[in-house]
PDB file of all heavy atoms in Angstrom:
ATOM      1  N   GLU A1156    -216.442 -25.360  39.527  1.00  0.00           N
ATOM      2  CA  GLU A1156    -215.051 -25.603  39.894  1.00  0.00           C
ATOM      3  C   GLU A1156    -214.562 -26.859  39.168  1.00  0.00           C
ATOM      4  O   GLU A1156    -215.371 -27.702  38.731  1.00  0.00           O
ATOM      5  CB  GLU A1156    -214.925 -25.786  41.398  1.00  0.00           C
ATOM      6  CG  GLU A1156    -215.434 -24.612  42.220  1.00  0.00           C
ATOM      7  CD  GLU A1156    -214.562 -23.367  42.075  1.00  0.00           C
ATOM      8  OE1 GLU A1156    -213.380 -23.536  41.710  1.00  0.00           O
ATOM      9  OE2 GLU A1156    -215.058 -22.254  42.311  1.00  0.00           O
ATOM     10  N   ALA A1157    -213.246 -26.990  39.058  1.00  0.00           N
ATOM     11  CA  ALA A1157    -212.678 -28.117  38.316  1.00  0.00           C
ATOM     12  C   ALA A1157    -213.114 -29.452  38.903  1.00  0.00           C
ATOM     13  O   ALA A1157    -213.408 -30.404  38.162  1.00  0.00           O
ATOM     14  CB  ALA A1157    -211.158 -28.013  38.290  1.00  0.00           C
ATOM     15  N   HIS A1158    -213.195 -29.562  40.234  1.00  0.00           N
ATOM     16  CA  HIS A1158    -213.574 -30.840  40.846  1.00  0.00           C
ATOM     17  C   HIS A1158    -215.044 -31.162  40.559  1.00  0.00           C
ATOM     18  O   HIS A1158    -215.429 -32.343  40.474  1.00  0.00           O
ATOM     19  CB  HIS A1158    -213.305 -30.820  42.353  1.00  0.00           C
ATOM     20  CG  HIS A1158    -214.184 -29.888  43.128  1.00  0.00           C
ATOM     21  ND1 HIS A1158    -215.383 -30.292  43.700  1.00  0.00           N
ATOM     22  CD2 HIS A1158    -214.054 -28.568  43.430  1.00  0.00           C
ATOM     23  CE1 HIS A1158    -215.935 -29.265  44.314  1.00  0.00           C
ATOM     24  NE2 HIS A1158    -215.161 -28.216  44.176  1.00  0.00           N
ATOM     25  N   GLN A1159    -215.874 -30.137  40.379  1.00  0.00           N
ATOM     26  CA  GLN A1159    -217.270 -30.370  40.030  1.00  0.00           C
ATOM     27  C   GLN A1159    -217.402 -30.860  38.589  1.00  0.00           C
ATOM     28  O   GLN A1159    -218.234 -31.716  38.286  1.00  0.00           O
ATOM     29  CB  GLN A1159    -218.072 -29.086  40.246  1.00  0.00           C
ATOM     30  CG  GLN A1159    -218.122 -28.648  41.700  1.00  0.00           C
ATOM     31  CD  GLN A1159    -218.657 -27.237  41.887  1.00  0.00           C
ATOM     32  OE1 GLN A1159    -218.608 -26.407  40.970  1.00  0.00           O
ATOM     33  NE2 GLN A1159    -219.169 -26.955  43.075  1.00  0.00           N
ATOM     34  N   VAL A1160    -216.556 -30.315  37.703  1.00  0.00           N
ATOM     35  CA  VAL A1160    -216.526 -30.799  36.320  1.00  0.00           C
ATOM     36  C   VAL A1160    -216.138 -32.275  36.292  1.00  0.00           C
ATOM     37  O   VAL A1160    -216.716 -33.081  35.547  1.00  0.00           O
ATOM     38  CB  VAL A1160    -215.543 -29.959  35.488  1.00  0.00           C
ATOM     39  CG1 VAL A1160    -215.324 -30.588  34.112  1.00  0.00           C
ATOM     40  CG2 VAL A1160    -216.049 -28.535  35.332  1.00  0.00           C
ATOM     41  N   THR A1161    -215.165 -32.657  37.117  1.00  0.00           N
ATOM     42  CA  THR A1161    -214.745 -34.056  37.194  1.00  0.00           C
ATOM     43  C   THR A1161    -215.883 -34.944  37.679  1.00  0.00           C
ATOM     44  O   THR A1161    -216.106 -36.045  37.152  1.00  0.00           O
ATOM     45  CB  THR A1161    -213.538 -34.192  38.134  1.00  0.00           C
ATOM     46  OG1 THR A1161    -212.455 -33.406  37.632  1.00  0.00           O
ATOM     47  CG2 THR A1161    -213.091 -35.641  38.239  1.00  0.00           C
ATOM     48  N   THR A1162    -216.629 -34.475  38.684  1.00  0.00           N
ATOM     49  CA  THR A1162    -217.757 -35.239  39.197  1.00  0.00           C
ATOM     50  C   THR A1162    -218.832 -35.433  38.128  1.00  0.00           C
ATOM     51  O   THR A1162    -219.407 -36.518  37.982  1.00  0.00           O
ATOM     52  CB  THR A1162    -218.363 -34.545  40.431  1.00  0.00           C
ATOM     53  OG1 THR A1162    -217.371 -34.440  41.445  1.00  0.00           O
ATOM     54  CG2 THR A1162    -219.554 -35.320  40.972  1.00  0.00           C
ATOM     55  N   LEU A1163    -219.092 -34.376  37.369  1.00  0.00           N
ATOM     56  CA  LEU A1163    -220.074 -34.481  36.290  1.00  0.00           C
ATOM     57  C   LEU A1163    -219.633 -35.491  35.236  1.00  0.00           C
ATOM     58  O   LEU A1163    -220.452 -36.254  34.710  1.00  0.00           O
ATOM     59  CB  LEU A1163    -220.292 -33.115  35.642  1.00  0.00           C
ATOM     60  CG  LEU A1163    -221.045 -32.084  36.483  1.00  0.00           C
ATOM     61  CD1 LEU A1163    -220.959 -30.709  35.834  1.00  0.00           C
ATOM     62  CD2 LEU A1163    -222.504 -32.497  36.660  1.00  0.00           C
ATOM     63  N   ARG A1164    -218.357 -35.516  34.961  1.00  0.00           N
ATOM     64  CA  ARG A1164    -217.838 -36.460  33.969  1.00  0.00           C
ATOM     65  C   ARG A1164    -217.902 -37.894  34.497  1.00  0.00           C
ATOM     66  O   ARG A1164    -218.421 -38.796  33.833  1.00  0.00           O
ATOM     67  CB  ARG A1164    -216.395 -36.112  33.612  1.00  0.00           C
ATOM     68  CG  ARG A1164    -215.782 -37.015  32.530  1.00  0.00           C
ATOM     69  CD  ARG A1164    -214.306 -36.752  32.410  1.00  0.00           C
ATOM     70  NE  ARG A1164    -213.594 -37.204  33.606  1.00  0.00           N
ATOM     71  CZ  ARG A1164    -212.512 -36.603  34.105  1.00  0.00           C
ATOM     72  NH1 ARG A1164    -212.030 -35.508  33.541  1.00  0.00           N
ATOM     73  NH2 ARG A1164    -211.923 -37.101  35.173  1.00  0.00           N
ATOM     74  N   ASP A1165    -217.384 -38.106  35.718  1.00  0.00           N
ATOM     75  CA  ASP A1165    -217.300 -39.472  36.247  1.00  0.00           C
ATOM     76  C   ASP A1165    -218.666 -40.016  36.666  1.00  0.00           C
ATOM     77  O   ASP A1165    -218.952 -41.200  36.481  1.00  0.00           O
ATOM     78  CB  ASP A1165    -216.346 -39.508  37.439  1.00  0.00           C
ATOM     79  CG  ASP A1165    -214.911 -39.160  37.050  1.00  0.00           C
ATOM     80  OD1 ASP A1165    -214.603 -39.201  35.845  1.00  0.00           O
ATOM     81  OD2 ASP A1165    -214.113 -38.853  37.948  1.00  0.00           O
ATOM     82  N   GLY A1166    -219.515 -39.136  37.214  1.00  0.00           N
ATOM     83  CA  GLY A1166    -220.782 -39.615  37.744  1.00  0.00           C
ATOM     84  C   GLY A1166    -221.945 -39.537  36.785  1.00  0.00           C
ATOM     85  O   GLY A1166    -222.931 -40.282  36.938  1.00  0.00           O
ATOM     86  N   HIS A1167    -221.853 -38.643  35.777  1.00  0.00           N
ATOM     87  CA  HIS A1167    -223.006 -38.425  34.896  1.00  0.00           C
ATOM     88  C   HIS A1167    -222.681 -38.530  33.406  1.00  0.00           C
ATOM     89  O   HIS A1167    -223.568 -38.308  32.576  1.00  0.00           O
ATOM     90  CB  HIS A1167    -223.599 -37.042  35.167  1.00  0.00           C
ATOM     91  CG  HIS A1167    -224.065 -36.853  36.581  1.00  0.00           C
ATOM     92  ND1 HIS A1167    -225.312 -37.245  37.015  1.00  0.00           N
ATOM     93  CD2 HIS A1167    -223.434 -36.319  37.667  1.00  0.00           C
ATOM     94  CE1 HIS A1167    -225.448 -36.950  38.297  1.00  0.00           C
ATOM     95  NE2 HIS A1167    -224.321 -36.392  38.723  1.00  0.00           N
ATOM     96  N   ALA A1168    -221.424 -38.818  33.054  1.00  0.00           N
ATOM     97  CA  ALA A1168    -221.008 -38.903  31.642  1.00  0.00           C
ATOM     98  C   ALA A1168    -221.258 -37.597  30.912  1.00  0.00           C
ATOM     99  O   ALA A1168    -221.663 -37.581  29.746  1.00  0.00           O
ATOM    100  CB  ALA A1168    -221.708 -40.057  30.938  1.00  0.00           C
ATOM    101  N   ILE A1169    -221.011 -36.480  31.596  1.00  0.00           N
ATOM    102  CA  ILE A1169    -221.131 -35.153  30.992  1.00  0.00           C
ATOM    103  C   ILE A1169    -219.724 -34.591  30.840  1.00  0.00           C
ATOM    104  O   ILE A1169    -219.014 -34.400  31.829  1.00  0.00           O
ATOM    105  CB  ILE A1169    -222.005 -34.226  31.853  1.00  0.00           C
ATOM    106  CG1 ILE A1169    -223.429 -34.790  31.950  1.00  0.00           C
ATOM    107  CG2 ILE A1169    -222.026 -32.816  31.263  1.00  0.00           C
ATOM    108  CD1 ILE A1169    -224.309 -34.046  32.933  1.00  0.00           C
ATOM    109  N   TYR A1170    -219.326 -34.338  29.610  1.00  0.00           N
ATOM    110  CA  TYR A1170    -217.946 -33.979  29.307  1.00  0.00           C
ATOM    111  C   TYR A1170    -217.814 -32.503  28.932  1.00  0.00           C
ATOM    112  O   TYR A1170    -218.530 -32.004  28.060  1.00  0.00           O
ATOM    113  CB  TYR A1170    -217.422 -34.845  28.161  1.00  0.00           C
ATOM    114  CG  TYR A1170    -217.077 -36.251  28.586  1.00  0.00           C
ATOM    115  CD1 TYR A1170    -218.072 -37.221  28.716  1.00  0.00           C
ATOM    116  CD2 TYR A1170    -215.779 -36.606  28.893  1.00  0.00           C
ATOM    117  CE1 TYR A1170    -217.771 -38.512  29.119  1.00  0.00           C
ATOM    118  CE2 TYR A1170    -215.455 -37.892  29.300  1.00  0.00           C
ATOM    119  CZ  TYR A1170    -216.461 -38.838  29.415  1.00  0.00           C
ATOM    120  OH  TYR A1170    -216.144 -40.113  29.824  1.00  0.00           O
ATOM    121  N   MET A1171    -216.861 -31.827  29.600  1.00  0.00           N
ATOM    122  CA  MET A1171    -216.519 -30.440  29.291  1.00  0.00           C
ATOM    123  C   MET A1171    -215.115 -30.186  29.830  1.00  0.00           C
ATOM    124  O   MET A1171    -214.644 -30.921  30.709  1.00  0.00           O
ATOM    125  CB  MET A1171    -217.522 -29.473  29.931  1.00  0.00           C
ATOM    126  CG  MET A1171    -217.466 -29.435  31.443  1.00  0.00           C
ATOM    127  SD  MET A1171    -218.793 -28.470  32.203  1.00  0.00           S
ATOM    128  CE  MET A1171    -220.190 -29.604  32.001  1.00  0.00           C
ATOM    129  N   PRO A1172    -214.403 -29.152  29.350  1.00  0.00           N
ATOM    130  CA  PRO A1172    -213.103 -28.807  29.917  1.00  0.00           C
ATOM    131  C   PRO A1172    -213.216 -28.417  31.385  1.00  0.00           C
ATOM    132  O   PRO A1172    -214.300 -28.063  31.872  1.00  0.00           O
ATOM    133  CB  PRO A1172    -212.636 -27.632  29.049  1.00  0.00           C
ATOM    134  CG  PRO A1172    -213.393 -27.774  27.775  1.00  0.00           C
ATOM    135  CD  PRO A1172    -214.720 -28.355  28.158  1.00  0.00           C
ATOM    136  N   SER A1173    -212.109 -28.452  32.101  1.00  0.00           N
ATOM    137  CA  SER A1173    -212.110 -28.244  33.550  1.00  0.00           C
ATOM    138  C   SER A1173    -212.544 -26.850  33.965  1.00  0.00           C
ATOM    139  O   SER A1173    -212.928 -26.642  35.121  1.00  0.00           O
ATOM    140  CB  SER A1173    -210.719 -28.538  34.123  1.00  0.00           C
ATOM    141  OG  SER A1173    -209.757 -27.674  33.546  1.00  0.00           O
ATOM    142  N   ASN A1174    -212.493 -25.870  33.049  1.00  0.00           N
ATOM    143  CA  ASN A1174    -212.920 -24.510  33.398  1.00  0.00           C
ATOM    144  C   ASN A1174    -214.426 -24.294  33.248  1.00  0.00           C
ATOM    145  O   ASN A1174    -214.917 -23.190  33.458  1.00  0.00           O
ATOM    146  CB  ASN A1174    -212.154 -23.472  32.568  1.00  0.00           C
ATOM    147  CG  ASN A1174    -212.450 -23.564  31.080  1.00  0.00           C
ATOM    148  OD1 ASN A1174    -213.153 -24.472  30.622  1.00  0.00           O
ATOM    149  ND2 ASN A1174    -211.903 -22.633  30.309  1.00  0.00           N
ATOM    150  N   GLY A1175    -215.158 -25.334  32.865  1.00  0.00           N
ATOM    151  CA  GLY A1175    -216.609 -25.210  32.742  1.00  0.00           C
ATOM    152  C   GLY A1175    -217.085 -24.673  31.408  1.00  0.00           C
ATOM    153  O   GLY A1175    -218.275 -24.405  31.234  1.00  0.00           O
ATOM    154  N   ARG A1176    -216.188 -24.545  30.441  1.00  0.00           N
ATOM    155  CA  ARG A1176    -216.582 -24.076  29.110  1.00  0.00           C
ATOM    156  C   ARG A1176    -217.363 -25.179  28.403  1.00  0.00           C
ATOM    157  O   ARG A1176    -216.927 -26.326  28.358  1.00  0.00           O
ATOM    158  CB  ARG A1176    -215.332 -23.705  28.296  1.00  0.00           C
ATOM    159  CG  ARG A1176    -215.651 -22.977  26.982  1.00  0.00           C
ATOM    160  CD  ARG A1176    -215.950 -23.928  25.854  1.00  0.00           C
ATOM    161  NE  ARG A1176    -214.788 -24.565  25.299  1.00  0.00           N
ATOM    162  CZ  ARG A1176    -214.805 -25.685  24.605  1.00  0.00           C
ATOM    163  NH1 ARG A1176    -215.934 -26.334  24.393  1.00  0.00           N
ATOM    164  NH2 ARG A1176    -213.686 -26.204  24.129  1.00  0.00           N
ATOM    165  N   ILE A1177    -218.517 -24.838  27.878  1.00  0.00           N
ATOM    166  CA  ILE A1177    -219.315 -25.827  27.159  1.00  0.00           C
ATOM    167  C   ILE A1177    -219.534 -25.390  25.721  1.00  0.00           C
ATOM    168  O   ILE A1177    -219.611 -24.204  25.425  1.00  0.00           O
ATOM    169  CB  ILE A1177    -220.679 -26.081  27.832  1.00  0.00           C
ATOM    170  CG1 ILE A1177    -221.527 -24.793  27.878  1.00  0.00           C
ATOM    171  CG2 ILE A1177    -220.498 -26.677  29.220  1.00  0.00           C
ATOM    172  CD1 ILE A1177    -222.975 -25.028  28.307  1.00  0.00           C
ATOM    173  N   ASN A1178    -219.632 -26.383  24.843  1.00  0.00           N
ATOM    174  CA  ASN A1178    -220.005 -26.140  23.450  1.00  0.00           C
ATOM    175  C   ASN A1178    -221.522 -26.205  23.373  1.00  0.00           C
ATOM    176  O   ASN A1178    -222.127 -27.267  23.550  1.00  0.00           O
ATOM    177  CB  ASN A1178    -219.363 -27.182  22.548  1.00  0.00           C
ATOM    178  CG  ASN A1178    -219.785 -27.035  21.096  1.00  0.00           C
ATOM    179  OD1 ASN A1178    -220.366 -26.023  20.704  1.00  0.00           O
ATOM    180  ND2 ASN A1178    -219.503 -28.044  20.287  1.00  0.00           N
ATOM    181  N   ILE A1179    -222.147 -25.066  23.102  1.00  0.00           N
ATOM    182  CA  ILE A1179    -223.595 -24.984  23.032  1.00  0.00           C
ATOM    183  C   ILE A1179    -224.160 -25.955  21.991  1.00  0.00           C
ATOM    184  O   ILE A1179    -225.264 -26.493  22.150  1.00  0.00           O
ATOM    185  CB  ILE A1179    -224.036 -23.543  22.703  1.00  0.00           C
ATOM    186  CG1 ILE A1179    -223.650 -22.589  23.849  1.00  0.00           C
ATOM    187  CG2 ILE A1179    -225.526 -23.459  22.426  1.00  0.00           C
ATOM    188  CD1 ILE A1179    -224.375 -22.836  25.144  1.00  0.00           C
ATOM    189  N   ALA A1180    -223.404 -26.209  20.931  1.00  0.00           N
ATOM    190  CA  ALA A1180    -223.880 -27.098  19.874  1.00  0.00           C
ATOM    191  C   ALA A1180    -224.013 -28.539  20.343  1.00  0.00           C
ATOM    192  O   ALA A1180    -224.661 -29.351  19.680  1.00  0.00           O
ATOM    193  CB  ALA A1180    -222.955 -27.020  18.660  1.00  0.00           C
ATOM    194  N   GLY A1181    -223.394 -28.871  21.488  1.00  0.00           N
ATOM    195  CA  GLY A1181    -223.540 -30.214  22.036  1.00  0.00           C
ATOM    196  C   GLY A1181    -224.845 -30.416  22.779  1.00  0.00           C
ATOM    197  O   GLY A1181    -225.165 -31.541  23.195  1.00  0.00           O
ATOM    198  N   LEU A1182    -225.620 -29.346  22.955  1.00  0.00           N
ATOM    199  CA  LEU A1182    -226.901 -29.428  23.654  1.00  0.00           C
ATOM    200  C   LEU A1182    -228.019 -29.816  22.691  1.00  0.00           C
ATOM    201  O   LEU A1182    -227.997 -29.452  21.515  1.00  0.00           O
ATOM    202  CB  LEU A1182    -227.241 -28.083  24.300  1.00  0.00           C
ATOM    203  CG  LEU A1182    -226.259 -27.558  25.359  1.00  0.00           C
ATOM    204  CD1 LEU A1182    -226.650 -26.149  25.771  1.00  0.00           C
ATOM    205  CD2 LEU A1182    -226.232 -28.491  26.572  1.00  0.00           C
ATOM    206  N   THR A1183    -228.996 -30.531  23.218  1.00  0.00           N
ATOM    207  CA  THR A1183    -230.192 -30.871  22.459  1.00  0.00           C
ATOM    208  C   THR A1183    -231.411 -30.720  23.372  1.00  0.00           C
ATOM    209  O   THR A1183    -231.277 -30.642  24.605  1.00  0.00           O
ATOM    210  CB  THR A1183    -230.152 -32.321  21.938  1.00  0.00           C
ATOM    211  OG1 THR A1183    -230.190 -33.224  23.050  1.00  0.00           O
ATOM    212  CG2 THR A1183    -228.895 -32.586  21.117  1.00  0.00           C
ATOM    213  N   VAL A1184    -232.570 -30.699  22.759  1.00  0.00           N
ATOM    214  CA  VAL A1184    -233.807 -30.638  23.535  1.00  0.00           C
ATOM    215  C   VAL A1184    -233.877 -31.820  24.500  1.00  0.00           C
ATOM    216  O   VAL A1184    -234.370 -31.700  25.633  1.00  0.00           O
ATOM    217  CB  VAL A1184    -235.024 -30.631  22.594  1.00  0.00           C
ATOM    218  CG1 VAL A1184    -236.325 -30.759  23.382  1.00  0.00           C
ATOM    219  CG2 VAL A1184    -235.038 -29.364  21.746  1.00  0.00           C
TER     220      VAL A1184
END
Side-chain angles (χ1 to χ4, degrees):
E1156 302 291 337
H1158 68 92
Q1159 296 168 337
V1160 171
T1161 300
T1162 300
L1163 289 169
R1164 182 189 68 214
D1165 296 344
H1167 300 275
I1169 298 172
Y1170 284 81
M1171 68 188 75
S1173 60
N1174 65 354
R1176 190 275 284 159
I1177 61 170
N1178 176 13
I1179 295 294
L1182 299 173
T1183 66
V1184 172

